[in-house]
Amino acid sequence: MPKLQLALDGDLSDGLAVLEKAHACVDIVETGTPLVFREGMRAVRVIRAAYPGLRLLSDLKIMDAGEAEADIAFDAGADIVTVLGLSGDETIQGALASAEKGDGQVMVDMMGVADPTQRAAELIALGCDLLCLHTAHDQQSRRGSPWRQLAQVRAAYPALSLAIAGGVSLSLLPQILPLHPQIVVVGSAITAAADPGLAARLIHEGIREYGDA
Amino acid sequence: MPKLQLALDGDLSDGLAVLEKAHACVDIVETGTPLVFREGMRAVRVIRAAYPGLRLLSDLKIMDAGEAEADIAFDAGADIVTVLGLSGDETIQGALASAEKGDGQVMVDMMGVADPTQRAAELIALGCDLLCLHTAHDQQSRRGSPWRQLAQVRAAYPALSLAIAGGVSLSLLPQILPLHPQIVVVGSAITAAADPGLAARLIHEGIREYGDA
């Protein structure tokens, strides 16, 4: 069953308000990059304390100093940290080393990677086991949704844990779920909905009923 | 005359302690990426309030949502924000649009860019006027210092404002200054020195005496 990851990119107070309504349908809560820029690890600590049962991902999009920067998120209480697939192999290895010191996990954000399948092979060789196919927000109008990349990488690596992010909404589930993502990342389709709780419930039920990964 | 940019990557309290000793020799103070991850924009606000006369750069290394993420730093009081040269052109344009709303400036961090001279041409066409040649911390042992990239881009664009970052120390000034960088970014060579004030003064004097850009 795919997990639903809720990305909180706004203010912390807005994020907490959404989470209050949506947390029961969420498997992983994400402190998004803009929220990290605003609040730093305070966002992680506050959400960790309020929802100790939720898995928590901090979307640092690490590009350098992999071990030291991943340490910051894990030390603050994150379960998962993101590193850019565009970063150097040493940075990936550093983030993995940080994760291995505790029970942390590294998600590699494939944003901007020209050949995701080839890079996936390199990342797997480095020890990565969770990749996120992610169309940049700024490129969604031009590049469209990331499901083509998900389809490519899924075809090459049927058993690899994959997340999909970037413009995911309820209406896209019929195109995404047949590609068997392990994690479906949703942001504004929940946070900007008139009723975030209802939006989360509908997406959660869609994933439960039709997701079979 | 090149400017000295001091990158603060540690804790905020450590950064403030270094700044107290070094600020007279510093032109631009940088809230480094790890500091932003720890403290968010509180680091920018605290340093802005303590040193209103210093230019302040926030090293967000923006990869997506260029305008919205740059807004966060400028709204907090930063003068300059960084965006990754690896990001999409829409993200660069977004960060530039954010900067143009005030007196902000965008520095493009060329970390990981395969062909900096070619990407520089694209960035200039987009309206960028400040690029940072930057060897990732994690790759300094393998790739060496970034001065070769600086030399390449300087040869192609004699009048472009260029910064250099990544392992810069006092002993490297004789190799860096002849390439006419407008900004020399120094981190641990000052922050980790036994006497950060003395380290900053020596680097500052080296730049003043031998930098002629």
Side-chain angles (χ1 to χ4, degrees):
Chain A
M1 183 93 66
K3 295 188 187 311
L4 173 57
Q5 177 174 320
L6 172 62
L8 301 176
D9 288 324
D11 289 331
L12 181 55
S13 56
D14 294 342
L16 289 169
V18 167
L19 209 44
E20 192 178 347
K21 293 171 187 157
H23 69 93
C25 298
V26 168
D27 300 294
I28 303 167
V29 58
E30 169 190 333
T31 59
T33 312
L35 178 54
V36 170
F37 287 162
R38 285 192 194 90
E39 297 286 347
M41 289 301 102
R42 192 172 86 87
V44 169
R45 289 190 294 268
V46 168
I47 294 174
R48 174 82 300 158
Y51 297 95
L54 279 184
R55 280 183 72 74
L56 197 159
L57 177 145
S58 197
D59 188 20
L60 301 191
K61 293 188 177 70
I62 292 172
M63 179 64 198
D64 191 18
E67 182 164 3
E69 294 190 356
D71 280 353
I72 292 170
F74 291 132
D75 288 348
D79 301 298
I80 313 170
V81 67
T82 62
V83 57
L84 285 176
L86 285 172
S87 72
D89 290 352
E90 297 87 346
T91 300
I92 303 283
Q93 289 169 314
L96 289 170
S98 173
E100 281 165 16
K101 287 185 280 194
D103 284 329
Q105 193 172 13
V106 172
M107 177 187 283
V108 183
D109 187 324
M110 302 295 277
M111 184 186 284
V113 171
D115 186 338
T117 306
Q118 183 193 319
R119 185 63 175 144
E122 298 165 359
L123 293 165
I124 291 167
L126 290 171
C128 299
D129 58 8
L130 176 58
L131 273 50
C132 180
L133 288 312
H134 187 181
T135 299
H137 176 272
D138 287 340
Q139 300 196 327
Q140 281 170 26
S141 59
R142 182 159 65 84
R143 292 212 177 178
S145 279
W147 67 72
R148 282 180 198 80
Q149 290 198 344
L150 173 58
Q152 287 168 21
V153 179
R154 173 57 72 218
Y157 298 100
L160 184 61
S161 283
L162 297 174
I164 182 161
V168 174
S169 63
L170 188 59
S171 60
L172 289 177
L173 291 185
Q175 291 181 266
I176 290 169
L177 293 179
L179 301 170
H180 309 301
Q182 276 71 23
I183 298 174
V184 177
V185 184
V186 181
S188 61
I190 292 175
T191 61
D195 185 337
L198 178 58
R201 192 155 62 243
L202 289 172
I203 292 173
H204 182 239
E205 286 174 5
I207 289 174
R208 278 178 70 103
E209 285 180 37
Y210 300 103
D212 56 358
Chain B
M1 184 91 68
K3 295 188 188 311
L4 173 56
Q5 177 174 320
L6 172 62
L8 301 176
D9 288 324
D11 289 331
L12 181 55
S13 57
D14 293 343
L16 288 168
V18 168
L19 209 44
E20 191 178 348
K21 293 170 187 157
H23 69 93
C25 298
V26 168
D27 301 293
I28 303 167
V29 57
E30 170 190 332
T31 59
T33 311
L35 179 54
V36 170
F37 287 162
R38 284 192 195 90
E39 297 286 346
M41 290 301 103
R42 192 171 87 87
V44 170
R45 290 189 295 268
V46 167
I47 294 173
R48 173 83 300 158
Y51 297 96
L54 280 184
R55 282 183 71 74
L56 196 159
L57 177 144
S58 198
D59 189 20
L60 301 191
K61 294 189 177 71
I62 292 172
M63 180 64 198
D64 190 17
E67 182 164 4
E69 294 190 357
D71 281 352
I72 292 170
F74 292 133
D75 289 348
D79 300 299
I80 312 169
V81 69
T82 62
V83 58
L84 286 176
L86 285 172
S87 71
D89 290 352
E90 298 87 346
T91 301
I92 304 283
Q93 289 170 314
L96 289 170
S98 173
E100 282 166 14
K101 287 185 280 192
D103 284 331
Q105 193 172 13
V106 172
M107 178 188 283
V108 183
D109 186 324
M110 303 295 279
M111 184 186 284
V113 172
D115 185 338
T117 307
Q118 182 194 319
R119 185 62 176 146
E122 297 166 359
L123 292 166
I124 291 167
L126 290 171
C128 299
D129 58 6
L130 177 57
L131 271 53
C132 181
L133 288 312
H134 187 181
T135 299
H137 176 272
D138 286 339
Q139 301 196 328
Q140 280 169 29
S141 60
R142 183 159 64 86
R143 292 212 176 179
S145 281
W147 67 72
R148 283 179 198 81
Q149 289 198 343
L150 174 60
Q152 287 168 19
V153 179
R154 172 58 72 219
Y157 299 101
L160 184 62
S161 283
L162 297 174
I164 182 161
V168 174
S169 64
L170 189 58
S171 61
L172 289 177
L173 290 185
Q175 291 181 266
I176 289 169
L177 293 178
L179 302 171
H180 309 301
Q182 276 71 23
I183 298 174
V184 177
V185 184
V186 182
S188 60
I190 292 175
T191 61
D195 185 337
L198 178 58
R201 193 156 62 244
L202 289 171
I203 292 173
H204 182 240
E205 286 173 6
I207 289 174
R208 277 178 69 104
E209 286 179 37
Y210 300 101
D212 57 357

